[in-house]
């Protein structure tokens, strides 16, 4: 594999067999061109949360299953985003309204040390620091990527680790 970057991707689902959807997504991520999965967090269960609003509140739908994976990839960040969105569509992802329940949600959190902002892509992910369902599994596989203050800021959000094995 040519020069690669470590990218972190958050996975979430709360429709259908969410655990199976996340497992299939991790397998599909490992099949992307110039990409391999290097680490995967445990599965976590969280209540739907609307962190996009001014004050955190519950969002509609069943509890989510969440995880984070580390990828070694030779894809550019925009190409990786395209691939993530294609995988979401293959999994039946629909976007009828903001924070709608999902068959699969894949968010590019970090792409090496890159900082970028465009109409399509912002890295680091602009809301990752507000979300325990991102920070806790990210800290599990990349402790240096999450500081204690960030974890303390989301400690009030309910999150439950499911088992000791990764996705």
């Amino acid at each position: 594999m040519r020069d690669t970057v470590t990218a972190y991707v958050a996975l979430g689902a709360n429709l259908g067999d969410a655990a199976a959807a996340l497992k299939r997504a991790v397998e599909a991520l490992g099949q992307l061109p110039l990409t391999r999965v290097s680490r995967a967090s445990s599965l976590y269960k969280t209540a739907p949360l609307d962190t996009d609003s001014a004050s955190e509140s519950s969002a509609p739908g069943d509890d989510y299953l969440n995880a984070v994976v580390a990828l070694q990839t030779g894809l550019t960040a925009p190409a990786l985003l395209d691939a993530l969105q294609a995988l979401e569509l293959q999994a039946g992802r629909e976007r009828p309204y903001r924070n709608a329940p999902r068959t699969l949600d894949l968010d590019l959190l970090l792409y090496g040390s890159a900082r970028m902002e465009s109409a399509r892509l912002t890295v680091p992910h602009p809301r990752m620091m507000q979300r325990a369902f991102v920070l806790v599994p990210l800290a599990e596989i990349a402790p240096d990527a999450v500081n204690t203050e960030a974890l303390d800021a989301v400690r009030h959000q309910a999150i439950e680790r499911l088992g000791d094995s990764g996705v």
Side-chain angles (χ1 to χ4, degrees), residues 11-33:
L11 300 86
N14 73 335
L15 291 176
D17 187 344
L22 296 185
K23 185 175 284 293
R24 282 191 302 272
V26 171
E27 291 169 1
L29 289 167
Q31 298 300 313
L32 293 176

Side-chain angles (χ1 to χ4, degrees), residues 44-152:
Y44 290 83
K45 183 169 90 169
T46 60
L49 186 63
D50 181 3
T51 56
D52 295 334
S53 67
S55 63
E56 290 176 6
S57 59
S58 293
D62 295 330
D63 286 349
Y64 274 86
L65 292 185
N66 298 98
V68 171
V69 296
L71 304 176
Q72 297 301 314
T73 187
L75 296 175
T76 64
L80 182 56
L81 177 64
D82 289 342
L84 297 179
Q85 291 177 341
L87 291 175
E88 288 177 337
L89 286 174
Q90 288 171 14
R93 170 79 187 262
E94 296 179 1
R95 299 172 189 265
Y97 55 89
R98 193 169 190 78
N99 295 315
R102 295 151 195 187
T103 54
L104 182 63
D105 186 29
L106 299 172
D107 288 332
L108 179 55
L109 303 174
L110 299 167
Y111 183 84
S113 60
R115 295 195 171 284
M116 56 189 79
E117 189 168 343
S118 71
R120 282 196 67 229
L121 176 63
T122 301
V123 174
H125 190 286
R127 291 174 301 282
M128 68 182 268
M129 301 306 276
Q130 302 167 343
R131 299 170 167 175
F133 64 83
V134 169
L135 294 179
V136 172
L138 178 59
E140 178 187 331
I141 63 170
D144 294 342
V146 182
N147 64 44
T148 304
E149 293 80 19
L151 288 170
D152 285 344

Side-chain angles (χ1 to χ4, degrees), residues 1-14:
M1 194 179 294
R2 65 182 192 189
D3 289 343
T4 63
V5 170
T6 301
Y8 293 94
V9 175
L11 300 86
N14 73 335

